[in-house]
Amino acid sequence: MFDYSARPDLLKDRVILVTGAGRGIGAAAAKTYAAHGATVLLLGKTEANLTQVYDEIEAAGHPQPAVIPFNLETALPHQYDELAAMIETEFGHLDGLLHNASIIGPRTPIEQLSGENFMRVMQVNVNAMFMLTSTLLPLLKLSQDASVVFTSSSVGRKGRAYWGAYGVSKFATEGLMQTLADEVETVAPVRSNSINPGATRTSMRAQAYPGENPLNNPTPEEIMPVYLYLMGPDSTGINGQAFNAQ
């Protein structure tokens, strides 16, 4: 496991947007960031899940989060602009962006992968991620120390059979991370890195490996050290790097 111990006020006064914040790793990251002082913007498509995370953060006495229902699969360019405008009006800037939302799509040979399924995975995992990054970058540049964290995968670092759409989308994720990192290196107080969570006890993992005993994998909460490290000031100057949570 990534070895890092965060001080309690690590993210005090920071505004951090988490995609796919309603469950799994996204929910764990949102609650962890809030517990360390951040105002967390909970973005996801299922409002009921986001509201549950909101309620848990509120009940714990952490800074009041914000719920942002947003469907990455169907969102149009003007909706991204409206999202950015809302964040600027309400919060003034953005200190962190965790790209966590992804879908797996069918795990099947490329020959049997329909174009429709391929494009759906790319729409959520790549196109929406690009739109959010480019639209929110001006708000991140207003921060004194901003961090963009991309969620990768082992199949996005070395190709593996039957992971077609998802694997390709994660290679694209690494590419976007590296491109952004190189662009902001000397011109903006923004850093860009990726995390491969590894096998984690989530519903997405269960979907991909239905025969696996989930108890053999760590919980999302257990892999949070690297998520805290990259979102806080201790990782200032770390840019363009691919991390493993485990």
Side-chain angles (χ1 to χ4, degrees):
M1 208 64 69
F2 187 85
D3 184 25
Y4 174 72
S5 183
R7 60 183 185 276
D9 65 346
L10 180 79
L11 304 176
K12 189 177 187 295
D13 299 330
R14 292 188 178 226
V15 180
I16 299 172
L17 187 147
V18 177
T19 72
R23 58 193 185 126
I25 292 171
K31 288 185 275 190
T32 301
Y33 291 157
H36 286 79
T39 297
V40 184
L41 315 186
L42 308 165
L43 186 144
K45 67 178 179 184
T46 309
E47 191 166 357
N49 291 351
L50 299 174
T51 302
Q52 185 177 343
V53 175
Y54 175 98
D55 290 344
E56 288 180 39
I57 290 173
E58 279 266 273
H62 303 318
Q64 183 182 18
V67 169
I68 305 176
F70 199 89
N71 190 333
L72 295 171
E73 189 177 346
T74 59
L76 299 168
H78 73 88
Q79 290 172 285
Y80 289 94
D81 293 333
E82 289 161 9
L83 171 65
M86 181 276 288
I87 293 172
E88 183 167 25
T89 301
E90 295 287 325
F91 303 98
H93 70 283
L94 197 59
D95 299 294
L97 171 57
L98 172 60
H99 288 296
N100 166 75
S102 288
I103 58 173
I104 285 190
R107 288 180 64 221
T108 181
I110 285 173
E111 192 177 358
Q112 293 162 19
L113 181 62
S114 73
E116 186 181 357
N117 277 324
F118 181 85
M119 286 188 276
R120 179 171 176 253
V121 171
M122 297 301 279
Q123 180 64 29
V124 175
N125 297 9
V126 181
N127 299 354
M129 181 179 61
F130 164 79
M131 290 298 296
L132 270 179
T133 303
S134 61
T135 311
L136 296 178
L137 204 49
L139 290 175
L140 289 157
K141 287 180 174 178
L142 293 175
S143 168
Q144 294 179 323
D145 169 41
S147 176
V148 183
V149 178
F150 295 86
T151 302
S152 186
S153 169
S154 58
V155 298
R157 295 175 179 170
K158 185 180 190 305
R160 201 180 306 159
Y162 315 128
W163 282 91
Y166 184 79
V168 170
S169 78
K170 293 304 178 179
F171 270 96
T173 297
E174 294 282 3
L176 181 57
M177 178 276 284
Q178 292 181 23
T179 303
L180 177 64
D182 206 40
E183 285 183 8
V184 298
E185 180 78 50
T186 55
V187 297
V190 182
R191 57 192 182 280
S192 167
N193 298 282
S194 71
I195 298 173
N196 165 26
T200 312
R201 208 179 305 168
T202 63
S203 56
M204 182 187 265
R205 178 74 186 185
Q207 182 187 340
Y209 294 94
E212 179 181 77
N213 180 358
L215 297 179
N216 291 337
N217 298 326
T219 63
E221 289 74 20
E222 289 175 293
I223 65 166
M224 282 299 118
V226 69
Y227 286 81
L228 280 167
Y229 171 70
L230 286 177
M231 208 49 90
D234 291 337
S235 60
T236 301
I238 304 294
N239 186 43
Q241 303 298 310
F243 286 80
N244 293 311
Q246 300 181 47

